[in-house]
Amino acid sequence: MDISHRLNRTLEVWRESFTDDGMGGQAATLIRQTDVAAKVDQPSATDRMLAQQAGAEHTHDIYLLPTADVQRGDELRGDGQVFRVGYVVEPSAPIYRKAESKLIERQGA
C-alpha cells in the first residue's frame, strides 16, 4: 500500500543542533535538514484527550512516508505554519509514519 498520493504538502524539517559556546556551555540552533511530503490532519477527540491526560498537547497528526527522517523535537514548517513534533509512531507494517505534533502559533500574527 502506498500513501504518497495522499501527501499533499511539502514541509521543511528543522532539527536542533548544539555547538560549544566557548564558555563551557552549548548554544542550540535550528538547522534545516530536508523537505518531506506530508498530509496534515487534526487528531480525533479521543487522541487529543489521551494526550491531555498524559500532559502533552496534540493539535495535529502529520502523515509521512515511512522513510521520512522526522524525529521527536523536530519542527516541521510550511505554508506559514510551524509544528513541533511530540513523537513519531509507525504501524506494524511500514506503510507510513505519523508525527503527532503541536501547532506553534506565532504571537502577533
Side-chain angles (χ1 to χ4, degrees):
M1 178 183 230
D2 182 16
I3 67 157
S4 59
H5 65 284
R6 296 183 185 269
L7 307 178
N8 57 5
R9 291 177 67 172
T10 299
L11 298 175
E12 301 169 351
V13 179
W14 290 76
R15 186 168 294 147
E16 220 170 31
S17 177
F18 298 93
T19 55
D20 291 333
D21 65 6
M23 296 180 282
Q26 292 186 325
T29 56
L30 287 173
I31 306 287
R32 185 174 175 183
Q33 302 295 305
T34 189
D35 292 350
V36 293
K39 181 176 189 303
V40 179
D41 282 339
Q42 291 192 354
S44 69
T46 301
D47 286 343
R48 290 183 79 160
M49 182 186 68
L50 290 172
Q52 287 174 347
Q53 288 176 345
E57 289 192 64
H58 176 192
T59 64
H60 289 79
D61 288 330
I62 302 177
Y63 292 89
L64 309 156
L65 291 173
T67 56
D69 182 18
V70 174
Q71 302 173 10
R72 180 178 196 264
D74 285 352
E75 280 189 6
L76 302 177
R77 301 177 183 179
D79 298 329
Q81 294 179 309
V82 177
F83 302 93
R84 169 93 51 208
V85 177
Y87 57 94
V88 179
V89 296
E90 298 175 3
S92 57
I95 299 167
Y96 64 87
R97 298 183 86 205
K98 181 171 73 168
E100 298 193 358
S101 307
K102 175 187 174 191
L103 176 64
I104 311 255
E105 297 192 43
R106 298 228 161 108
Q107 199 168 4

